[in-house]
Amino acid sequence: LKEKIIFKVTKWTLQNTSRLVFSTTWQRDIFIPAYSLDISKISIVENYYGPMEIDIEQTTLDFVASARDLKWKNLSIIRDIFREITEDNSNISLYTDNLPYKEFMEKIKKSYAVLLVSFGDISPNMILDAIRFGRPFICTKEVGIFDRIKEVGIFVDPLNKTEIKEAVLRLLDKVEYEKAKDKIRNFSFTHTWSEIGQEFLDIYKNIN
């Protein structure tokens, strides 16, 4: 009963707004049939894509996969994979804790690679931060920004443990790692806070 009430109230609210803004068409296209929404009242404003930062040379094999410890985030499969991998190589480490923003940015900046294999993610800032700092990444295929970043990352089925493990091992190969870094270096798209602010102002000005 509780879930039905929440759904009905959410549906009414979404249907009775002047304008809805999503960060990806992926999320929009999930919500439209679920809540019977009018696409003409929906806009897309993408997340912040910052300019490239200084690329720090890695001295460790530290993979960052920080996320809330929820089943949705699929951390158990990552931990299982790294238990298997570290049996043969104790130099590899996995970091899954959460940190305050500035400390977390430092962690990503100094990491070897970033992992996100949740069952679905709309527009994960952790991956966008990895790109800014030139970190190779492995990401779930079930992600709203796939079309934007599909040329610069390694994408995996979050339910396929073998595929995820192979992707990690691929990045541990020096040649493959440098290829992954080169792809990120060639990523030039940016979306600044000023542009985001202007897009919201333009949406507001055009509300009927």
Side-chain angles (χ1 to χ4, degrees), residues 40 119 147:
S40 68
F119 298 130
D147 286 341

Side-chain angles (χ1 to χ4, degrees), residues 196-208:
I196 291 169
Q198 187 58 55
E199 287 167 29
F200 272 105
L201 287 173
D202 291 342
I203 290 168
Y204 175 73
K205 291 174 184 176
N206 288 288
I207 291 176
N208 296 322

Side-chain angles (χ1 to χ4, degrees), residues 14-201:
L14 294 176
Q15 289 180 342
N16 288 276
T17 56
S18 298
R19 179 70 60 168
L20 285 172
V21 179
F22 293 110
S23 63
T24 68
T25 56
W26 185 77
Q27 184 188 22
R28 179 199 67 187
D29 293 344
I30 292 172
F31 271 60
I32 285 174
Y35 294 103
S36 304
L37 302 179
D38 180 358
I39 194 170
S40 68
K41 294 172 63 177
I42 297 174
S43 298
I44 303 294
V45 177
E46 291 190 64
N47 272 20
Y48 172 73
Y49 287 73
M52 292 296 185
E53 303 285 346
I54 296 173
D55 184 1
I56 296 176
E57 186 176 351
Q58 284 67 54
T59 57
T60 66
L61 294 175
D62 192 10
F63 286 76
V64 172
S66 299
R68 289 172 294 168
D69 202 359
L70 305 172
K71 287 186 178 180
W72 178 260
K73 295 298 181 179
N74 206 22
L75 287 176
S76 60
I77 197 169
I78 297 177
R79 290 178 177 133
D80 286 345
I81 288 168
F82 273 80
R83 273 193 290 270
E84 294 172 8
I85 292 175
T86 52
E87 286 179 1
D88 299 320
N89 191 336
S90 59
N91 294 326
I92 300 168
S93 62
L94 174 67
Y95 188 85
T96 59
D97 294 341
N98 291 301
L99 291 170
Y101 178 75
K102 288 185 178 180
E103 292 178 40
F104 189 50
M105 290 304 98
E106 285 298 313
K107 190 71 179 176
I108 289 180
K109 187 189 301 184
K110 297 174 182 177
S111 70
Y112 182 78
V114 172
L115 294 170
L116 186 144
V117 295
S118 54
F119 298 130
D121 222 305
I122 298 166
S123 45
N125 287 309
M126 184 171 75
I127 296 299
L128 302 186
D129 291 328
I131 293 172
R132 281 197 302 126
F133 292 116
R135 300 303 87 197
F137 64 89
I138 298 167
C139 183
T140 175
K141 290 177 181 175
E142 304 298 327
V143 66
I145 57 175
F146 178 76
D147 286 341
R148 178 67 72 189
I149 64 171
K150 61 185 177 183
E151 301 299 331
V152 295
I154 299 173
F155 295 89
V156 294
D157 178 348
L159 298 176
N160 191 324
K161 181 180 176 181
T162 300
E163 187 173 297
I164 298 168
K165 184 176 180 179
E166 287 175 353
V168 173
L169 293 174
R170 177 177 162 189
L171 281 183
L172 289 172
D173 180 272
K174 290 184 179 180
V175 174
E176 291 296 325
Y177 185 74
E178 286 305 315
K179 286 180 182 178
K181 290 196 72 173
D182 284 341
K183 288 181 180 180
I184 291 175
R185 291 188 188 104
N186 292 326
F187 185 79
S188 59
F189 178 74
T190 59
H191 191 222
T192 67
W193 291 117
S194 294
E195 290 171 331
I196 291 169
Q198 187 58 55
E199 287 167 29
F200 272 105
L201 287 173

